[in-house]
Amino acid sequence: MGNVTSISHSINVSVLVSSSITLSCTVRYVYEPRPAVTWCKQQRESCIPVETGEKHSVLWRQSDPNTGVCSLTFFNVSLSDSGEYLCEVHLRKPCRGHTIFSRTLQLYVTRTDRDALVTALDIGRVIFFITATVAIILLTALKLTECQQSEMEKEAEDALADSGRLDREDCV
C-alpha cells in the first residue's frame, strides 16, 4: 500500500434533502509529505472528481503527525447528490504517481415528509387550477347554450306569430 497504512470511513449514510452532511476519510501515512487526498463520485466505470464551491467543500485536518482526516461537506443536499463516493489518496514520495481508493461510501438522499407535502400541495394546486378551468369552460358553454336556446325559442315564437298573422290574413 505504499506510504499509506490505512484508510477508514463510514460505509452508508442517509440524509434528508436541504440539509448538510460531511463525509470523512481518515488516512494514516508513514512518509512525508502527506499524501494528497481528493473525493470523487462514481459514475459507471469512472470516478468524477467532486468540485469544490458553493455546494461542496473539501478540508484536510491533521489529527496527529501521521494521521489526517479529509472531509467532504455537502451544503443544501439535493436528490442528485445521491450516489457512491470514494476518497482518493494520491501517493507522493517514494511511490509517486500511485492512487489508492477507499471502499465505496454510499450516500442516500431522501425526501422529507415536508418535501412530499409541498409536492402534494403543488399537485393539488395544479388539479384545482385544471378543475376550475374546466368548470369555467363548462359554465360558459352552458350559458352559451342557454342563450342560443333562448334565441331559438324567440325565433320560433316570432315565426309562429308571423305564421299566425299570415293565417289570419288568409281568413279575411
Side-chain angles (χ1 to χ4, degrees):
M1 203 188 255
N3 64 352
V4 176
T5 58
S6 68
I7 302 172
S8 64
H9 56 282
S10 300
I11 299 297
N12 292 312
V13 180
S14 294
V15 64
L16 299 174
V17 169
S18 299
S19 58
S20 295
I21 187 166
T22 299
L23 308 180
S24 297
C25 178
T26 302
V27 179
R28 288 185 180 81
Y29 56 96
V30 178
Y31 302 108
E32 290 293 333
R34 73 168 175 85
V37 182
T38 58
W39 287 88
C40 64
K41 183 177 182 181
Q42 190 71 41
Q43 298 202 355
R44 295 198 177 113
E45 299 300 317
S46 57
C47 202
I48 310 301
V50 175
E51 299 292 327
T52 58
E54 288 182 21
K55 192 153 173 65
H56 307 103
S57 75
V58 176
L59 176 70
W60 173 268
R61 184 177 41 87
Q62 196 71 35
S63 53
D64 68 46
N66 291 333
T67 305
V69 178
C70 186
S71 302
L72 169 62
T73 301
F74 294 80
F75 304 104
N76 197 20
V77 175
S78 64
L79 292 174
S80 65
D81 290 321
S82 288
E84 298 176 345
Y85 290 86
L86 297 168
C87 174
E88 298 177 291
V89 179
H90 307 280
L91 304 179
R92 296 180 181 172
K93 295 178 185 174
C95 302
R96 187 180 310 271
H98 290 89
T99 301
I100 298 172
F101 292 93
S102 66
R103 285 189 228 138
T104 301
L105 191 148
Q106 181 70 49
L107 178 63
Y108 298 99
V109 180
T110 56
R111 290 181 166 257
T112 63
D113 291 339
R114 183 175 177 272
D115 292 331
L117 176 62
V118 168
T119 302
L121 287 173
D122 288 343
I123 291 169
R125 286 185 193 119
V126 169
I127 291 171
F128 174 77
F129 177 75
I130 291 170
T131 304
T133 303
V134 169
I136 290 169
I137 291 170
L138 289 174
L139 287 173
T140 303
L142 181 62
K143 188 67 175 169
L144 284 173
T145 304
E146 287 175 4
C147 288
Q148 288 173 344
Q149 189 174 10
S150 177
E151 285 263 334
M152 289 171 58
E153 286 173 359
K154 187 169 173 31
E155 287 175 9
E157 286 174 8
D158 289 347
L160 282 175
D162 286 344
S163 72
R165 271 186 247 136
L166 288 176
D167 290 342
R168 273 186 250 135
E169 288 175 6
D170 289 341
C171 293
V172 178

